[in-house]
Structures are given as structure tokens and as C-alpha cells.
Amino acid sequence: MRPVLALTTWEPLQHFLERSASILPVLLAVVVVLVVGVLASWLLALLTRWLLAAVGFDRIGRRPQVADALRRTSLRQTPSVLVGQVVRWVGVVLTLIGALSILSAEATDVVLASLVQYLPRLAAGLLFLVLGYAISTFAARSVLIWAVNSRLQGARWLAAGVRLLVGVFFLALALENLGFGRDIALVVLAILLGGGVFATALAFGLAGKDLARESLERMTREAREEDHDTLSHL
Amino acid sequence: MAPGSALREETLREVETLGAADIVVGIPSYNNARTIGHVVRAVTTGLAKYFPECAAVIVNSDGGSADGTPDVVAAAEIGAAKALLLRQPARPAQRVLTAYQGIPGKGSAFRAVFEIAERLGARACAVVDSDLRSITPQWVELLVGPVLHEGFDYVCPLYARHKYDGTITNALVYPLVRAVYGRRIRQPIGGDFGFSGALARHFLTHDVWDTEVARFGIDIWMTTTALVGDFRVCQAYLGAKLHDAKDPGAHLSAMLAEVSGSLFRQLEAHAPFWQQIEGSQPVPEFGFHYEVGLEPVAVDVPRMVNAFRHGMRDFAGLYGTILSPDTLAHCDALTRVDDDEFRMPGDLWVRLVYEYAVAYHARRPNPAHLLATLTPLYLARTASWVREAAAYGAPEVEAALDALCLRFEALKPAFLAAWHEGRFRT
């Protein structure tokens, strides 16, 4: 009975203990690398931030154009804090890769190769997002200004619609580049465009033609009233 | 890229055959067949009557009219000498009809006039609009005379205008030019100017003919260039200025953006010059002032106030990036004032103009968007002016404008500081 018990219980347990004993140092090393890496990243970020602040890097943020751009992107941090955060996250990613290399050199190679392969698409995706933000903001502003100066009602809604459409278009482009969610983005874009046109056609053509007429009259009334002035501005 | 000359080969040959001239009068045009005949007759008569001994050339610089404008210019005849009370035979003014080359616009048309004046060695020149209904022969004497007889280099016009007319000039251009450049030129963008041959040559030395100046803004460019070049400047009273009928409010926003943009661009170009200037000096004046019966002007003040309120609501985000918190708060408070009590104080308007000039200089936001957002604020100021000046006669109007200009001058040091810092602090 005893040999059987030893065979079925003790030996797998012994095997497990032996493997654990061999893995434990590796795991310990991974933990140490992670802790030290994250700490080092944090310290490096702090040092970068302090150094940049000391050399007056934050003055850039007080330049009107930069301050305006930061405000538009809802970034409330100073430039030195922003650079510090970038340094910290780069450090964290490098730490993770280092920890992975301890566990398996092959896995690290695969991950690194995938990352390197993915980088151009990631960059292109980010570029599309940045472009989309800039172009949608510019287009929305242009429409808003034109609508307000033409005395059209609902100028802000019109501008918000343009921003949404342009934004979703560039989001679809970015997602397609990144290789995921492209169908969802395209469907959303199609729904927004098609649905919007369809809803407008229905509203202005069938169900709400009276309302539509009133809206159009209200939208253009102010512009027509302007013609009564004989004031010469120049 | 603009060509090296605004003149075509055939025009150059025609000018060559003319040889020389004492006076050149330029009339830029584009589809002005309805009015240009009267302008040409007035100029021709003015030259014959007031400068009979001078060799004169009238230049019609046309932008490619499709309504037969050049034919009208060619066919326009001077009236009978007796009817015009001409006592001596006058040398008939030669005419040059040219379609200018370059970017379409008044600036390119003027460039052609400057080039012809230079080639003919003209001592005095004048330019007048082709859509004028109120031009008389005496305008030629008043624009050219100070140059030929008094040695001035640049003659700006002075007009009798309805108190509600010319609000962009009255509220923006005149006070800003006066405060910044230090000279009290009442109509810096009047459109009808006299200038010396030397100044025409000076204009041509500037490389601006492939910029916005070629399209619009030539008036303010000429005035500020003359001031910065230290040329002798004066103004002449021409009486009423009546244009061909136009749709006055149709393109207000675009017009305001063009005028304010041209002015702000000049401020940037001349910053080293005007930063040293304090206060303002009057400029010599010619002409006999007289009362003029002016056409009544209809203004819908509630519509203007309404446009301001809508603008404040819809441009809230943009105004946040352009204006200082204090100014924005003052404007915001105005939106809650009843229609009957609505007034934009002069101090607030002065501040707004300076903050826009600084925002333009700092490119915050992009210039096209910035200038287009000025319209609701300008309408608020115009509405306030209409209310304020309702009971004013001509002297009270000028006194009120003078007070506004003094506020511009008083705030100039703060403007200068903000110009360097990129924004007003409070």
C-alpha cells in the first residue's frame, strides 16, 4: 500500500516542489525587476520634471499658442509634468519587457518583434487621431463662425454635427490602420451620415414639413431683416 | 507669384509714346459702367479747369470688366468749355485704358497707376473710386493741389458723412491709426487720395504685390506706408461722398475681417516705428467746410443687439481664448442688459480692439477665425453708437469720436505691454 501511495502522492508533490524551487528564484527576480523598474521610472520621471522646471521649460506652456493648444486638449498639467509622465510610462514599458525577458527570452523576442511590427501602424493611427482632432476643430469653428455671422439659428448644433462627423471619419481611419474595430467605426459613420440624411429628409419632407418651413423661415429671417439697414460701414 | 510689372506690353508701349506728364489720375474699376462716365468727366473737367497748364494723363486700371467699363471711359467727353466757365484753352488730358496684370484686386490696379506715374515722371497723382456719384471737378484740385502747390506728399480725403455712416472707420480705423501712428488722419481708408510722384515711386519699392495688399487693404497700406516713410501728409475736405447703390449689410463680416486684418497686419509690419510714439498730432487741412444734405440712414438697433447676444453665446469658447477674463466678463454682463438700456462703453470697445490686435499678433486663434468673431462685438458697439449719437449734430459727433480716440491713446501703454507679452494680463 505504501509504495503505491508514495508513487501516486509523494512523487508528483516532489516534482512540484522541485519545479517550484527552480521557478521561485526566477519569479523573485521578476518581482525585483518590476519593483526596481517601476521605482526607477518614477524617480527618473521626478528627476526629469525637476530638471525641466529648473531650466525654465515650463515657460513654453505660457506662450499663448501653446497655452491655447493645451487648453483645447484639456491638458491641465505643466509641460515638465507632461514630459515626466511620458518618461515614467516609457520606463514602465521597458521594465515590463525586461521582466518578460527573465521569464522567457523567446517570448520577449516575439513580443518585441510584434511591437516593432506594430509601431508604424500605431504611429499612423495616432497621426490620424491628431489630424482628425485638428481638422474637426477647424471645420467646426469655420462652420460655427459662418453660421453665427449669417444669423442662422442652431449654429452650435451645426458646428457640433460637423465636428462629430469629421471626428468619426478620422476615428474610422485610425482604427482601420490599427487593425481592429474598423467595422464598428465604419458602421457608426454610415449610421451617422445615412441616418442623419434620412432623418432630415423625413423631417423636412414628410412628417414635419410645416415645422421645417417654420425653421427655415426663422433661420433666414434675421438675414433678410439685415437688408433693411442702409448703414454703410466703411 | 506676381509678375514684375502690373502693366501689359501694349500699355508699356502706349505709355512710352506719351513721353511725360505732370499729373496722373488713376481710376481703378471693375464693372462700373454705370458710374465711371461721371467720374471720368469730373476728373477731366477738374484737370482742365484747375491745372490747364499741366500735361495730365487719366489711367483707367480695369480688373477685366464685362459690362463695357473701358468703352465708357473712352467715350466720356468733357463738357462744353463755356458751360464749365473755362477761361482759357486747356490741354486735353490723355487717357490710358489698361487691364492690369497680377492678383485681381484694387491693390494691383493701383500698382499699375504707380508704375505709369513713375514712367511718365509725374509730379503729382491722385486716385479716385469709380463708383462715386458725388465727385466734382474740385476734388481734383483738392487732391492734387496740396502736392503741386504746397509740397505735400500724401493727401487724405475728408468727407461729410451721415453720423451713422462709416462706422468701421469711426470706431476702429481712425482711432487706432491715430493712437498707434500718432497722426490724426480722419479717413485713413477713404479711397480717394492724392500723392506725389516721389511717394508713388516709394510705394513701388515695397514687395507687397503678391500679398493680400494686392487684393484689398491697399488704402490703409498706402496711408501707413506714407506715415512710416515720414512723408508730408495732409487732408482735404471733399464734401459728401456718395457711392453707387450697394447692399450695405450683405458682407459685413467679410468686409470687417478684411479691414481689421489689413490694419493689424500693418501694425505688425510697423511695430518698431509706432512703439516709440506717444499721443497724436493734427495734420494740415485744405478745403472749405460746408454743410451737406445727407441721405437718411435706417438702422435696426435691436437686430444688432440680438446679433451680439447670439455671438456671445455661440462664440463663448473662442472669446475665452481671445479676450482677457475681465473684458470677457464685461461683455458677458452686457448680454443681460435690457434692449432699451443697452450700451457698450467706449472704454470696453477700446479694450476689445486692442485685445484683438494682440491676439492677431500672437496668432491666437488662427487669424481668419479671430477676425470673423469680431462682427458681433462690432455690432454691439455700432448699436451703442447709434443710440448715443441719436441727438448729435456734426460737432457733437466729432467731439464724441475725439473722446474715443483719447481713450485709445490713454490705453496705448497697456497695449504695448500686452503686445510684447502676447496677451492682456487682466
Side-chain angles (χ1 to χ4, degrees):
Chain A
M1 189 70 188
R2 256 189 184 183
V4 174
L5 195 68
L7 274 173
T8 54
T9 311
W10 175 243
E11 279 183 15
L13 190 63
Q14 197 176 16
H15 185 65
F16 169 74
L17 287 172
E18 280 169 6
R19 288 200 63 182
S20 297
S22 66
I23 288 173
L24 260 177
V26 176
L27 283 177
L28 194 65
V30 168
V31 170
V32 168
V33 166
L34 282 175
V35 170
V36 171
V38 169
L39 265 175
S41 304
W42 185 76
L43 278 173
L44 198 62
L46 206 67
L47 188 68
T48 307
R49 184 178 153 186
W50 180 80
L51 273 174
L52 288 175
V55 298
F57 184 68
D58 287 341
R59 277 199 296 269
I60 291 174
R62 287 197 284 274
R63 284 185 191 165
Q65 297 94 329
V66 180
D68 189 34
L70 290 174
R71 191 168 40 242
R72 278 208 301 270
T73 48
S74 302
L75 289 171
R76 308 222 175 273
Q77 298 95 329
T78 59
S80 61
V81 172
L82 285 173
V83 174
Q85 283 178 350
V86 170
V87 167
R88 191 176 67 202
W89 282 107
V90 168
V92 168
V93 168
L94 289 176
T95 303
L96 285 173
I97 292 170
L100 196 65
S101 72
I102 295 171
L103 287 172
S104 162
E106 284 172 15
T108 312
D109 289 346
V110 170
V111 167
L112 279 176
S114 305
L115 266 178
V116 168
Q117 259 188 337
Y118 202 65
L119 270 179
R121 297 173 76 178
L122 189 68
L126 282 174
L127 186 67
F128 275 126
L129 285 179
V130 171
L131 266 179
Y133 174 77
I135 292 175
S136 65
T137 302
F138 185 85
R141 269 188 184 176
S142 301
V143 168
L144 177 73
I145 287 167
W146 165 78
V148 170
N149 286 336
S150 303
R151 312 282 163 75
L152 295 183
Q153 297 291 318
R156 279 183 299 176
W157 289 105
L158 211 57
V162 168
R163 181 192 285 271
L164 184 68
L165 278 177
V166 177
V168 168
F169 174 73
F170 275 93
L171 183 67
L173 282 180
L175 288 177
E176 188 178 342
N177 245 277
L178 294 173
F180 59 87
R182 56 184 285 196
D183 293 341
I184 295 170
L186 286 174
V187 166
V188 168
L189 185 65
I191 288 172
L192 278 174
L193 273 172
V197 171
F198 186 58
T200 311
L202 277 180
F204 278 71
L206 295 169
K209 60 181 180 185
D210 293 335
L211 181 68
R213 191 182 62 237
E214 282 171 22
S215 301
L216 285 172
E217 281 177 358
R218 201 170 53 245
M219 283 170 78
T220 55
R221 189 179 300 135
E222 289 253 2
R224 285 206 312 275
E225 281 171 359
E226 190 174 32
D227 294 344
H228 297 310
D229 281 357
T230 55
L231 180 73
S232 170
H233 294 275
L234 270 184
Chain B
M1 187 176 160
S5 168
L7 303 178
R8 294 164 184 264
E9 282 299 321
E10 59 266 29
T11 311
L12 287 171
R13 282 195 294 274
E14 192 180 347
V15 171
E16 192 89 3
T17 59
L18 288 173
D22 299 307
I23 301 169
V24 168
V25 179
I27 309 173
S29 65
Y30 180 67
N31 289 338
N32 300 109
R34 206 147 61 101
T35 50
I36 200 166
H38 168 70
V39 177
V40 173
R41 278 191 296 277
V43 170
T44 312
T45 307
L47 288 168
K49 189 168 183 177
Y50 297 106
F51 304 100
E53 74 288 355
C54 293
V57 173
I58 298 173
V59 179
N60 172 224
S61 186
D62 191 68
S65 296
D67 66 346
T69 297
D71 300 334
V72 175
V73 175
E77 292 296 331
I78 186 172
K82 192 175 174 186
L84 296 169
L85 300 174
L86 296 181
R87 299 290 175 213
Q88 53 190 328
R91 297 168 67 171
Q94 301 292 321
R95 288 177 204 179
V96 175
L97 282 65
T98 176
Y100 61 79
Q101 293 188 123
I103 298 169
K106 195 175 174 183
S108 294
F110 275 25
R111 184 190 184 193
V113 176
F114 302 153
E115 285 188 31
I116 290 173
E118 184 187 38
R119 285 173 182 274
L120 294 174
R123 290 188 288 139
C125 314
V127 282
V128 290
D129 284 341
S130 51
D131 62 345
L132 290 167
R133 288 193 287 130
S134 60
I135 185 172
T136 67
Q138 203 188 4
W139 282 34
V140 177
E141 184 200 17
L142 289 164
L143 292 174
V144 174
V147 177
L148 276 185
H149 305 314
E150 303 294 331
F152 283 94
D153 287 298
Y154 193 61
V155 188
C156 288
L158 266 177
Y159 304 115
R161 303 191 73 177
H162 193 282
K163 59 190 173 188
Y164 300 155
D165 263 348
T167 33
I168 293 180
T169 299
N170 289 348
L172 177 68
V173 184
Y174 166 50
L176 197 54
V177 168
R178 171 171 158 171
V180 171
Y181 291 87
R183 303 301 299 274
R184 295 175 199 164
I185 297 175
R186 185 66 183 80
Q187 298 284 344
I189 54 170
D192 312 298
F193 299 101
F195 47 92
S196 64
L199 185 52
R201 287 192 295 278
H202 179 72
F203 287 150
L204 287 172
T205 61
H206 291 76
D207 185 20
V208 294
W209 309 111
D210 56 353
T211 69
E212 293 289 320
V213 172
R215 292 176 58 220
F216 48 77
I218 184 71
D219 297 348
I220 192 65
W221 180 83
M222 285 167 64
T223 301
T224 54
T225 302
L227 289 174
V228 172
D230 204 23
F231 286 89
R232 291 187 69 204
V233 177
C234 67
Q235 44 194 2
Y237 182 77
L238 303 178
K241 178 171 188 174
L242 301 176
H243 280 280
D244 195 16
K246 285 178 186 166
D247 182 358
H251 305 293
L252 168 64
S253 185
M255 186 165 63
L256 182 62
E258 285 178 7
V259 173
S260 53
S262 302
L263 186 49
F264 294 159
R265 263 195 301 279
Q266 291 312 108
L267 294 194
E268 287 196 311
H270 300 147
F273 170 83
W274 57 257
Q275 290 181 14
Q276 324 298 329
I277 294 169
E278 290 175 10
S280 66
Q281 301 299 320
V283 294
E285 208 177 300
F286 296 94
F288 182 74
H289 280 260
Y290 52 92
E291 290 287 324
V292 177
L294 297 165
E295 293 173 350
V297 170
V299 188
D300 187 348
V301 172
R303 183 189 56 78
M304 290 180 172
V305 175
N306 202 31
F308 165 70
R309 291 203 181 104
H310 281 182
M312 282 302 297
R313 185 194 64 198
D314 293 336
F315 291 156
L318 278 164
Y319 286 150
T321 66
I322 298 165
L323 303 173
S324 66
D326 278 6
T327 306
L328 191 58
H330 279 110
C331 290
D332 204 40
L334 268 184
T335 60
R336 294 186 287 277
V337 175
D338 288 341
D339 270 14
D340 294 338
E341 291 167 15
F342 185 87
R343 295 280 191 286
M344 175 182 273
D347 285 334
L348 179 57
W349 172 246
V350 174
R351 184 72 185 228
L352 281 168
V353 171
Y354 277 145
E355 291 197 13
Y356 261 78
V358 169
Y360 185 91
H361 177 54
R363 298 288 180 271
R364 187 190 74 239
N366 86 68
H369 286 168
L370 171 81
L371 298 172
T373 59
L374 186 57
T375 310
L377 305 171
Y378 162 77
L379 285 174
R381 176 59 194 166
T382 305
S384 305
W385 170 249
V386 171
R387 289 250 166 84
E388 180 190 339
Y392 286 175
E396 288 87 1
V397 167
E398 288 308 312
L401 289 180
D402 201 51
L404 182 71
C405 290
L406 289 175
R407 291 189 188 117
F408 267 91
E409 289 177 21
L411 199 66
K412 188 178 173 184
F415 166 55
L416 196 55
W419 182 272
H420 291 302
E421 284 188 31
R423 64 168 66 236
F424 276 81
R425 279 187 180 170
T426 56

